[in-house]
Each structure stands twice: as C-alpha cells, then as structure tokens.
Amino acid sequence: MTGRPAPAVLPPSLRPWLGLIAALAALVVVALGVLYADHSEPGVVDRWIIQPTADSLRPPWRYVALALDFLGEPVGAATLVVAAVTGCLLLRRPRAAVLVVAGVGMAVGTATLLKSLVGRTIHDGNLSYPSGHTAFLTALALVMALQATGRLGLGRTAGTSLVFAAALVAGAAMGWAQVALGAHYPTDVLGGWCTALAVIPATAWLVDRMADRLVDRMAEAGRRERR
C-alpha cells in the first residue's frame, strides 16, 4: 500500500499564506484579549460601531439575525456539522470529515477557554470574548472552502482568495447577527473570527500529518508481510 488514501485537507500551495494569516490572527486574538481582559463595557471601537445601529433591528432583519444565531446554538451547530461530515464521507473525503469535527471542535473549544481566561462580560456578567458563534461558523466555512479548493484544483492565489472570502462572509454574517442581537461587542466578533483563522490551518496541518504517518505505517506493515 503506497500513497495517500485521500487528498490533503490543507493543500500544499496554500500552506505558506494560510500559515501567515493564522499567525497574524493569533496575534490579534491575544492583543484584543489583553486589551479587554476583565472589562464589562464596550471599547471605543465598539461604541463607534454600535451607536449608529442601536435599537434599529426590526423585522424581517431581526428574524434573519435570530436564524443565524440559531446556527451557532447546539442544535443548529450539530445539524450543520452532521451534514458537513456526511457530505465529506459521501464524497470519499475521510480527512475532510475528520477536520470538520476536529477543526470546528478546536475552534469552539479555544473560544470557550479564552472566554474564561479573558473574563470580558456583557449583560448580567455573560462571558463575551471571543464570540463562540462567530468562531464556529467561520471555522466550518474555512473547512468547506479548503475542501472546495482541493477538489477544484485551485492554485495558491485563487485558493487563498476563496478560503479567505468564505471566512469573511461567514464571519461577517454571524458577527452582524451577534452584534445586532446585543449578544456580543464588535471586538468579540473580531476575536471569534480570528480564532477560527488561527485554529483551522493548524488543525488541518495536524490532520494531514497524522494521516500521512498512518499511511506510512500501513505501507511499511504491508511490505513486511510480503517479505
């Protein structure tokens, strides 16, 4: 048995750029976490963004925001993850299925851990930094975009653009919903978005590395049996 049983979830051509983006995103997450540690009020940037839109969300946009918010709740999130894993398996992309579970889980887990470490609160002491909803949807969008890049055989520029655009759209949509519903400050949303950008490339690299090692071990075992 030789070669990989499935394509890499992190295309080699994208690794340098996504690695750089992940490093920069991690720096933003840490910087915002330090800046807003133990705060319970919006910062200057938060006030500048929230002020013009305060109390302006009305139907049907409120329903749109609530629908997006539901996608980050346990039932909605689980439904999306199951659908994504099923799609990956039907397309015979086992590594992608693993990345959906591991990558999204790591992104949400990291966001949850950071909330406790940073201690920023909103409304009745609810921990708010970073936004777990935003981290979740952005992470899932990143995983799906990575798979589309590999399946379509996109090059470095086109692939990186697709991945970043998917993250931007998903993060902006969920971020808007969280801010509009008053669940998070804008900087919480930015922190959640950057958390996903930092976690997913690293997790994808680890999934590929572990899968490659497993393939090598199986190949070596096969060669020993034939001797």
Side-chain angles (χ1 to χ4, degrees):
M1 182 177 180
T2 60
R4 293 180 175 178
V9 289
L10 184 62
S13 61
L14 271 61
R15 289 174 186 174
W17 284 109
L18 291 184
L20 176 61
I21 290 173
L24 293 174
L27 288 175
V28 172
V29 172
V30 172
L32 289 176
V34 172
L35 182 63
Y36 294 110
D38 298 321
H39 282 212
S40 59
E41 297 292 336
V44 175
V45 175
D46 298 317
R47 291 192 184 94
W48 180 73
I49 295 174
I50 294 174
Q51 187 65 34
T53 59
D55 301 322
S56 62
L57 194 63
R58 297 286 185 272
W61 292 111
R62 182 170 180 79
Y63 302 139
V64 174
L66 288 171
L68 286 168
D69 179 71
F70 173 75
L71 296 180
E73 294 296 317
V75 174
T79 301
L80 287 180
V81 169
V82 170
V85 169
T86 301
C88 290
L89 294 177
L90 289 175
L91 292 172
R92 297 182 180 179
R93 298 265 175 159
R95 291 194 191 190
V98 172
L99 181 59
V100 170
V101 177
V104 172
M106 283 294 293
V108 174
T110 300
T112 302
L113 176 61
L114 287 172
K115 283 184 178 182
S116 297
L117 293 175
V118 174
R120 190 185 197 189
T121 58
I122 185 173
H123 305 318
D124 302 322
N126 294 316
L127 295 173
S128 65
Y129 180 89
S131 167
H133 282 62
T134 307
F136 164 75
L137 197 61
T138 303
L140 187 60
L142 280 168
V143 173
M144 294 297 98
L146 283 173
Q147 302 324 301
T149 296
R151 193 168 183 81
L152 296 174
L154 300 180
R156 181 177 61 185
T157 301
T160 303
S161 298
L162 175 61
V163 170
F164 192 76
L168 187 61
V169 170
M174 183 61 83
W176 165 78
Q178 296 305 298
V179 174
L181 293 172
H184 285 282
Y185 301 120
T187 43
D188 296 334
V189 167
L190 177 58
W193 185 66
C194 287
T195 297
L197 283 174
V199 168
I200 293 301
T203 307
W205 179 81
L206 285 173
V207 169
D208 280 332
R209 189 172 179 83
M210 293 176 66
D212 289 342
R213 286 183 175 180
L214 179 60
V215 169
D216 291 340
R217 290 176 182 176
M218 293 176 66
E220 180 63 26
R223 287 192 291 270
R224 289 177 180 175
E225 289 179 358
R226 290 192 294 269
R227 289 175 183 173

